[in-house]
């Protein structure tokens, strides 16, 4: 579930050639591939932000040049690594695990090395794609996505199993992974189904990318799905192609876990999806690509490891908006509990896929669905019992339905959602092209509504079947509700809506 792009994830093209006015040296530089330009950036030994040592070097694996960075305390490097102070005998186990990062297309996160240092007892490792465009899995060819994904994944697995033990002592039973954009595609599409059996009881964070498995699961990798922690992290303004592929990846890995005997509750605890940040591609902090990726690297332990809070401090999400703070303040109050809300029924929140709803509307739809999910969580806490989330929109594609069901949202087929509305319902709709307010008014007096603000002298609409009568009913009904117009800050998402809470069980404020 999930359209501004920054840097890494877009296909990287060779921008060489003589554009006029340049000298021969400049023309030659422009004609170099990203891989050739990366080779001009020196490797060697440096110091990480936490004071640990960073070793940056290239090895040949299966005929591929694999450049990697590993960051660890000096004494954890082997005596043959060339690191001053290296004290570990080659090929010996250590106490510190690893967090291995595969960057996005173009290699930005390899050079930034956001997971450098030792964090939560995991030493940072970053690996550079052995591709001329620095693209994990290579450029699409003949309709095949990431055609080099198998070879690249094998090289990463061999790097960890065969090469890294020669230079650093680490716990090979505690190797986690991080993907960024294109790196996430290769991890989920190729590496995980082929190689996670070698790394059981660990996890994979898939940032701003995901692909359903493109190869069959090996028996040991399939079995590892029973205890592999997987987290998909995206944003409300994700790239169009990833709005399609991430939900398919989520569904595929849930099915893989179900096949090894996990029930829905176990799967939901082991595999999580979060796309509430209000930002562009990988801009989880709402600011930019690089800072967003760094935020997730800094929050790795909280999201991925046992005992973590599951929260990312600084993420730009719905909860940070003025509108949400207002809704939380009202719907989180103890005097709301007598309403007994047991369901939220949403109408017309829009299609989540970019190809069906072009432009800004897709971003708006994502935000509205994020509000729906948070409202469900909030009301469960306030009410102290289960609260269903139901969504009805005839525009939903199968991909939308799969993504919403993966987050616990029930899909109401056209018109059936209205039959669910009763006195214990919170109705949620924004600028729907169906007269939801008029229909609901004739069916029930819900516990509450979030819908377009009802003006006292509402202009009559030509398209209502009984103009005067229906609008009088809507105006009369909302007189029995406390009214809270929502802030204009989020007008692009909620279009002048208001929250209405039935008065009979709450005090007027």
């Amino acid at each position: 579930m999930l359209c501004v792009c920054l840097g890494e994830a877009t296909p990287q093209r060779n921008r060489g050639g003589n554009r006029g006015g340049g000298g021969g040296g400049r023309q030659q530089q422009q004609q170099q591939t990203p891989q050739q330009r990366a080779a001009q950036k020196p490797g060697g030994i440096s110091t990480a932000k936490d004071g640990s040592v960073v070793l940056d070097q290239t090895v040949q694996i299966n005929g591929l040049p694999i450049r990697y960075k590993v960051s660890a305390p000096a004494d954890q490097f082997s005596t043959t690594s060339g690191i001053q102070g290296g004290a570990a005998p080659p090929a010996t186990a250590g106490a510190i695990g690893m967090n291995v990062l595969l960057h996005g297309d173009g290699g930005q996160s390899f050079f930034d090395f956001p997971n450098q240092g030792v964090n939560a007892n995991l030493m940072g490792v970053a690996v550079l794609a052995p591709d001329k465009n620095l693209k994990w899995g290579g450029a699409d060819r003949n309709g095949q996505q990431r055609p080099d994904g198998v070879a690249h994944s094998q090289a990463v697995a061999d790097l960890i199993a065969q090469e890294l033990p020669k230079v650093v002592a680490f716990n090979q039973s505690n190797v986690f992974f991080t993907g960024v954009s294109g790196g996430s595609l290769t991890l989920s599409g190729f590496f995980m189904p082929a190689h996670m059996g070698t790394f059981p009881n660990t996890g994979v964070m898939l940032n701003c990318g995901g692909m359903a498995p493109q190869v069959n699961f090996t028996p040991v990798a399939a079995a590892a799905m029973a205890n592999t922690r997987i987290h998909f992290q995206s944003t409300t303004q994700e790239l169009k192609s990833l709005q399609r592929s991430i939900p398919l990846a989520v569904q595929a890995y849930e099915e893989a876990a179900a096949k090894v005997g996990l029930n829905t509750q176990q799967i939901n605890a082991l595999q999580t999806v979060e796309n509430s940040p209000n930002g562009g591609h990988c801009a989880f902090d709402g600011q930019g690509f690089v800072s967003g990726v760094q935020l997730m690297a800094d929050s790795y332990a909280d999201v991925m490891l046992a005992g973590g809070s599951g929260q990312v401090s600084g993420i730009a999400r719905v909860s940070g908006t003025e509108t949400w703070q207002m809704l939380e303040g009202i719907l989180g109050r103890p005097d709301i509990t007598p309403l007994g809300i047991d369901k939220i029924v949403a109408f017309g929140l829009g299609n989540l896929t970019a190809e069906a709803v072009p432009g800004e509307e897709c971003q708006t739809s994502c935000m509205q669905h994020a509000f729906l999910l948070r409202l469900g969580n909030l009301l469960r806490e306030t009410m102290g019992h289960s609260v269903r989330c139901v969504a009805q929109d005839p525009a939903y594609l199968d991909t939308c339905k799969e993504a919403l069901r993966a987050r616990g949202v029930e899909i109401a087929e056209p018109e059936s959602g209205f039959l669910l509305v009763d006195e214990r319902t919170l109705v949620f709709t924004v600028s729907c092209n169906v007269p939801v307010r008029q229909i609901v008014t004739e069916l029930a007096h819900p516990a509450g509504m979030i819908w377009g603000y009802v003006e006292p002298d509402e202009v009559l609409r030509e398209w209502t079947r009984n103009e005067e009568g229906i609008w009088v009913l809507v105006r009369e009904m909302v007189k029995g509700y406390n009214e809270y117009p929502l802030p204009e800050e989020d007008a692009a998402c909620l279009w002048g809506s208001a929250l209405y809470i039935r008065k009979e069980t709450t005090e007027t404020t």
Side-chain angles (χ1 to χ4, degrees):
M1 180 177 73
L2 312 172
C3 274
V4 186
C5 161
L6 292 176
E8 278 196 14
T10 52
Q12 302 295 309
R13 296 184 175 86
N14 184 347
R15 302 180 183 273
N18 187 355
R19 302 192 181 188
R26 179 179 178 184
Q27 179 179 351
Q28 182 179 4
Q29 183 181 18
Q30 289 177 331
Q31 291 175 339
Q32 289 181 326
T33 66
Q35 187 179 46
Q36 290 170 330
R37 291 196 293 272
Q40 296 173 0
K41 298 181 179 181
I45 300 170
S46 59
T47 302
K49 295 176 182 177
D50 70 345
S52 60
V53 177
V54 176
L55 175 63
D56 180 344
Q57 65 180 16
T58 301
V59 294
Q60 290 291 320
I61 299 178
N62 306 330
L64 296 173
I66 301 297
R67 182 176 178 180
Y68 68 88
K69 295 180 179 181
V70 57
S71 180
D75 62 359
Q76 297 301 299
F77 285 92
S78 71
T79 54
T80 59
S81 64
I83 300 296
Q84 185 176 0
T92 58
I96 305 175
M98 277 187 174
N99 176 10
V100 180
L101 180 143
L102 302 191
H103 58 77
D105 298 349
Q108 178 73 46
S109 296
F110 173 82
F111 296 103
D112 291 342
F113 201 6
N115 59 325
Q116 64 181 269
V118 178
N119 300 285
N121 203 42
L122 298 176
M123 62 179 69
V125 176
V127 191
L128 190 64
D131 174 74
K132 67 178 183 179
N133 292 312
L134 301 182
K135 187 171 186 174
W136 280 109
D140 297 354
R141 293 194 298 270
N142 301 321
Q144 182 182 359
Q145 290 183 290
R146 309 280 163 166
D148 299 321
V150 171
H152 288 185
S153 295
Q154 185 65 58
V156 172
D158 291 346
L159 171 71
I160 299 168
Q162 301 172 17
E163 293 295 332
L164 286 174
K166 298 176 183 178
V167 298
V168 68
F170 66 99
N171 183 352
Q172 296 189 45
S173 298
N174 194 31
V175 179
F176 284 73
F177 297 88
T178 297
V180 177
S181 192
S184 294
L185 297 179
T186 297
L187 281 172
S188 56
F190 300 93
F191 184 89
M192 294 168 66
H195 301 288
M196 281 310 293
T198 309
F199 311 100
N201 302 300
T202 61
V204 185
M205 176 186 281
L206 298 168
N207 292 315
C208 43
M211 177 191 292
Q214 304 296 295
V215 296
N216 293 330
F217 279 88
T218 65
V220 289
M225 291 300 102
N227 48 40
T228 298
R229 172 81 174 95
I230 304 173
H231 179 73
F232 293 87
Q233 182 67 56
S234 185
T235 62
T236 61
Q237 301 174 39
E238 189 50 272
L239 297 175
K240 294 180 181 180
S241 61
L242 298 178
Q243 292 173 28
R244 295 186 292 269
S245 67
I246 291 175
L248 297 176
V250 172
Q251 180 186 16
Y253 278 97
E254 288 180 339
E255 292 174 352
K259 287 180 180 178
V260 293
L262 271 62
N263 59 37
T264 300
Q265 184 177 3
Q266 291 170 322
I267 294 172
N268 289 340
L270 196 61
Q271 302 183 13
T272 52
V273 185
E274 217 284 341
N275 78 322
S276 66
N278 186 20
H281 179 62
C282 297
F284 307 114
D285 60 349
Q287 302 299 315
F289 184 101
V290 172
S291 57
V293 171
Q294 186 64 60
L295 175 65
M296 295 309 299
D298 293 342
S299 306
Y300 198 86
D302 283 331
V303 176
M304 296 297 297
L305 304 185
S309 68
Q311 301 298 314
V312 181
S313 177
I315 204 165
R317 50 162 58 101
V318 165
S319 59
T321 64
E322 185 180 349
T323 293
W324 176 255
Q325 292 169 5
M326 177 177 173
L327 291 172
E328 186 176 37
I330 298 169
L331 295 176
R333 295 190 323 225
D335 63 333
I336 295 296
T337 56
L339 292 168
I341 297 173
D342 63 6
K343 75 183 85 62
I344 304 169
V345 181
F347 297 95
L349 299 190
N351 195 307
L352 292 162
T353 55
E355 68 273 20
V357 186
E360 297 297 321
E361 294 182 27
C362 180
Q363 301 172 18
T364 299
S365 177
C366 288
M367 284 291 287
Q368 291 171 3
H369 284 90
F371 270 101
L372 170 63
L373 293 172
R374 290 199 64 87
L375 285 167
N377 291 335
L378 173 61
L379 287 173
R380 289 182 194 105
E381 295 178 4
T382 303
M383 297 295 153
H385 59 238
S386 176
V387 176
R388 299 161 60 194
C389 288
V390 183
Q392 173 182 305
D393 196 320
Y396 286 148
L397 301 181
D398 288 342
T399 304
C400 303
K401 295 177 182 179
E402 291 163 2
L404 290 170
R405 287 182 179 127
R407 300 301 301 273
V409 178
E410 302 173 36
I411 304 301
E413 295 307 320
E415 311 309 326
S416 65
F418 289 108
L419 301 178
L420 298 175
V421 177
D422 58 21
E423 285 70 22
R424 302 183 68 184
T425 303
L426 175 68
V427 175
F428 179 30
T429 186
V430 184
S431 191
C432 185
N433 59 6
V434 171
V436 175
R437 295 184 296 181
Q438 293 89 329
I439 296 172
V440 167
T441 301
E442 293 190 325
L443 293 175
H445 283 194
M449 302 86 69
I450 298 175
W451 60 22
Y453 175 66
V454 180
E455 296 282 355
D457 55 347
E458 186 86 52
V459 177
L460 302 182
R461 306 297 181 102
E462 294 181 358
W463 41 260
T464 56
R465 62 180 175 84
N466 183 357
E467 295 174 352
E468 184 174 359
I470 288 181
W471 278 105
V472 167
L473 286 176
V474 173
R475 294 192 200 107
E476 287 301 313
M477 186 182 81
V478 298
K479 290 179 181 178
Y481 289 73
N482 289 318
E483 180 181 76
Y484 306 91
L486 298 181
E488 295 182 1
E489 170 211 30
D490 303 307
C493 171
L494 297 180
W495 287 309
S497 298
L499 168 65
Y500 294 87
I501 296 296
R502 205 168 55 225
K503 288 181 179 178
E504 60 194 50
T505 53
T506 59
E507 295 182 4
T508 304
T509 58

